[in-house]
Amino acid sequence: MSSNIVWHSHPVDQGARAEQKSQRPLVIWFTGLSASGKSTIAGALEQILTVQGYHTYLLDGDNVRHGLCHDLGFSDKDRQENIRRVGEVAKLMADAGLITLAAFISPFRADRRLVREIMPGGQFVEVFVDADLSVCRGRDPKGLYAKADRGEIKQFTGIDSPYEVPQKPEVHIRAGEVPVAEAVNQLLDYLHRTGVLQAGYQPVALEA
């Protein structure tokens, strides 16, 4: 970074933006294997929060690669840069006072730790969407595991590229065992207990 670049502080800060929205800014980071359910659960949570009056934005792995990160591949170096960029965007969105949800495989602990470290204290929540590889293979909604097995995709996480399981995630969702609604309620309960949803929340009805 050039020594000629200086941070410019503006009169409207994160606190003012959060007060305007009557909420606590946060980055909720969903990590897990492809087809574990990250985007589905994140999308369902965002829908519930929006209906209940919270201001949110969802950053999704595939969507981001259509624009911000369209120039990146899937080498370890490119994966690291992908998460670095997304982390910086998520930080800006939290600075805007939003509850920001980010759904990314983000296979490496060091990259997830980097995002945590650039966030103000208490504004990063790691959510491990835990589904066994066999479950993810069985789902395979985009046919990616089948392509990886045929050798059509290289460096595919869980096949020929590693996934480093979170060691101490704030929320651990056993996505291979629980329905989406139960996973969303687990998250809502955590957010309420930690003071993010100070106005309370309405749980998602579970099917009988």
Side-chain angles (χ1 to χ4, degrees), residues 104-152:
F104 292 81
I105 294 173
S106 45
F108 304 125
R109 293 189 190 111
D111 298 337
R112 300 193 300 264
R113 182 170 62 249
L114 177 65
V115 179
R116 183 188 292 273
E117 289 174 351
I118 67 172
M119 294 297 302
Q123 291 188 19
F124 182 87
V125 172
E126 185 177 48
V127 179
F128 178 27
V129 183
D130 184 3
D132 289 342
L133 180 59
S134 60
V135 172
C136 297
R137 278 182 179 276
R139 292 172 175 171
D140 201 15
K142 303 171 187 175
L144 299 179
Y145 285 98
K147 288 183 179 180
D149 289 338
R150 294 194 298 268
E152 297 173 14

Side-chain angles (χ1 to χ4, degrees), residues 23 25-31 38-50 54-61 64 86 89-90 93-94 98-104 123-125 127 184 187-188 191:
Q23 64 183 35
L26 192 69
V27 171
I28 307 173
W29 192 277
F30 296 79
T31 177
K38 300 180 300 300
S39 294
T40 299
I41 295 170
L45 175 63
E46 185 186 32
Q47 186 175 18
I48 294 300
L49 291 176
T50 300
Y54 294 95
H55 300 259
T56 67
Y57 194 85
L58 171 56
L59 295 165
D60 179 81
V64 166
V86 171
V89 171
M93 289 187 164
L98 298 174
I99 296 174
T100 306
L101 303 89
F104 292 81
Q123 291 188 19
F124 182 87
V125 172
V127 179
V184 170
L187 287 161
L188 289 171
L191 295 174

